[in-house]
Amino acid sequence: MTERPRIGLGKDRHRLVPGRICRLGGVEIPCPVGPDGHSDADAVLHALTDALLGSAGLPDLGTLFPNDDPKWRNQDSARFVTEAVARLAAMKLEVWSIDIAIICDRPRIGPHRDAIRSRIAELLGCDLDRVNLKGKSTEDVADHAEHIDVTAVALVGPA
Ligand code: MG
């Protein structure tokens, strides 16, 4: 593997619907709506996984962990992150820095920011200060159904 730092970008978006558990960044948040989709639809961990995979030039989440493969169907999304970290480690790469932006009107991310950062650092096996996170509202410009939109950036480098 090269000695240079590498950067990856991940994005994910899920519709927010009533009656779904709202798990974001591996943390269950009390909220009347939650992300809809297969498994837990944790858009934060999906975007993070794609950022990690992208940094290493690996195929994306849906390609590596296809939902129609029984092995990956209904997996806890934390498994995708730990699997991506393992693939990076096999390439002698480790996480240097993560930044994540979450755009939604519900839930408010601020009160859960530290819990999500801690959980992500735990999944990545890195220090807490390498994981940053911020929540933003849609500013009422959402012109589709209520949804959550996540962008994640991962900087990785030689372990
Ligand atoms: Mg997703």
Short mmCIF file of all heavy atoms in Angstrom, two decimals, residues 11-14 36 38 41-44 46-47 61 77, ligand 1:
data_model
loop_
_atom_site.label_atom_id
_atom_site.label_comp_id
_atom_site.label_asym_id
_atom_site.label_seq_id
_atom_site.Cartn_x
_atom_site.Cartn_y
_atom_site.Cartn_z
N LYS A 11 -22.17 9.07 0.80
CA LYS A 11 -23.45 9.76 0.97
C LYS A 11 -24.56 8.73 1.09
O LYS A 11 -24.49 7.65 0.50
CB LYS A 11 -23.75 10.67 -0.24
CG LYS A 11 -23.00 11.99 -0.21
CD LYS A 11 -23.55 12.98 -1.23
CE LYS A 11 -24.96 13.43 -0.95
NZ LYS A 11 -25.09 14.34 0.21
N ASP A 12 -25.58 9.07 1.87
CA ASP A 12 -26.75 8.21 1.92
C ASP A 12 -27.97 9.04 2.26
O ASP A 12 -27.87 10.11 2.87
CB ASP A 12 -26.57 7.10 2.96
CG ASP A 12 -27.55 5.96 2.74
OD1 ASP A 12 -27.98 5.75 1.59
OD2 ASP A 12 -27.89 5.27 3.72
N ARG A 13 -29.10 8.55 1.84
CA ARG A 13 -30.35 9.25 2.08
C ARG A 13 -31.44 8.21 2.29
O ARG A 13 -31.52 7.24 1.53
CB ARG A 13 -30.69 10.14 0.88
CG ARG A 13 -31.99 10.91 1.01
CD ARG A 13 -32.26 11.72 -0.23
NE ARG A 13 -31.51 12.97 -0.24
CZ ARG A 13 -31.83 14.01 -1.01
NH1 ARG A 13 -32.86 13.94 -1.83
NH2 ARG A 13 -31.11 15.11 -0.97
N HIS A 14 -32.23 8.40 3.32
CA HIS A 14 -33.36 7.51 3.57
C HIS A 14 -34.59 8.33 3.91
O HIS A 14 -34.49 9.36 4.59
CB HIS A 14 -33.08 6.55 4.74
CG HIS A 14 -32.21 5.39 4.37
ND1 HIS A 14 -32.72 4.14 4.07
CD2 HIS A 14 -30.87 5.28 4.25
CE1 HIS A 14 -31.72 3.32 3.78
NE2 HIS A 14 -30.58 3.98 3.88
N ASP A 36 -36.46 4.60 6.80
CA ASP A 36 -37.10 3.44 6.19
C ASP A 36 -36.10 2.72 5.28
O ASP A 36 -35.22 3.35 4.68
CB ASP A 36 -38.31 3.89 5.37
CG ASP A 36 -39.22 2.74 4.99
OD1 ASP A 36 -39.14 1.69 5.66
OD2 ASP A 36 -39.99 2.90 4.03
N HIS A 38 -34.24 -1.48 4.14
CA HIS A 38 -33.87 -2.80 4.62
C HIS A 38 -33.04 -2.66 5.89
O HIS A 38 -32.41 -1.65 6.13
CB HIS A 38 -33.06 -3.54 3.56
CG HIS A 38 -33.84 -3.81 2.31
ND1 HIS A 38 -34.85 -4.75 2.28
CD2 HIS A 38 -33.80 -3.25 1.09
CE1 HIS A 38 -35.37 -4.76 1.06
NE2 HIS A 38 -34.75 -3.86 0.33
N ALA A 41 -31.47 0.54 8.31
CA ALA A 41 -31.45 1.75 7.47
C ALA A 41 -30.68 2.89 8.13
O ALA A 41 -31.06 4.06 8.00
CB ALA A 41 -32.88 2.18 7.11
N ASP A 42 -29.61 2.55 8.83
CA ASP A 42 -28.82 3.55 9.54
C ASP A 42 -27.99 4.34 8.51
O ASP A 42 -26.88 3.96 8.13
CB ASP A 42 -27.91 2.86 10.56
CG ASP A 42 -27.19 3.84 11.49
OD1 ASP A 42 -26.91 4.97 11.04
OD2 ASP A 42 -26.93 3.47 12.63
N ALA A 43 -28.56 5.46 8.08
CA ALA A 43 -27.95 6.24 6.99
C ALA A 43 -26.56 6.75 7.37
O ALA A 43 -25.70 6.93 6.50
CB ALA A 43 -28.86 7.41 6.62
N VAL A 44 -26.34 7.01 8.66
CA VAL A 44 -25.04 7.52 9.09
C VAL A 44 -23.96 6.44 8.91
O VAL A 44 -22.89 6.71 8.34
CB VAL A 44 -25.09 7.99 10.56
CG1 VAL A 44 -23.71 8.39 11.06
CG2 VAL A 44 -26.08 9.15 10.70
N HIS A 46 -24.18 3.87 6.95
CA HIS A 46 -24.06 3.55 5.51
C HIS A 46 -23.14 4.55 4.82
O HIS A 46 -22.26 4.16 4.04
CB HIS A 46 -25.44 3.56 4.85
CG HIS A 46 -26.34 2.45 5.32
ND1 HIS A 46 -27.61 2.27 4.85
CD2 HIS A 46 -26.14 1.47 6.23
CE1 HIS A 46 -28.16 1.22 5.44
NE2 HIS A 46 -27.29 0.73 6.29
N ALA A 47 -23.33 5.84 5.10
CA ALA A 47 -22.47 6.86 4.49
C ALA A 47 -21.03 6.69 4.96
O ALA A 47 -20.08 6.80 4.18
CB ALA A 47 -22.99 8.26 4.83
N LEU A 61 -20.70 0.07 -0.72
CA LEU A 61 -21.47 -0.74 0.23
C LEU A 61 -22.38 -1.75 -0.45
O LEU A 61 -22.37 -2.94 -0.13
CB LEU A 61 -22.29 0.22 1.10
CG LEU A 61 -23.28 -0.34 2.11
CD1 LEU A 61 -22.55 -0.89 3.32
CD2 LEU A 61 -24.25 0.73 2.56
N SER A 77 -26.16 -2.53 10.79
CA SER A 77 -25.25 -1.74 9.94
C SER A 77 -23.87 -1.57 10.57
O SER A 77 -22.90 -1.26 9.87
CB SER A 77 -25.87 -0.38 9.64
OG SER A 77 -27.03 -0.54 8.85
MG MG B 1 -28.61 3.30 3.20
#
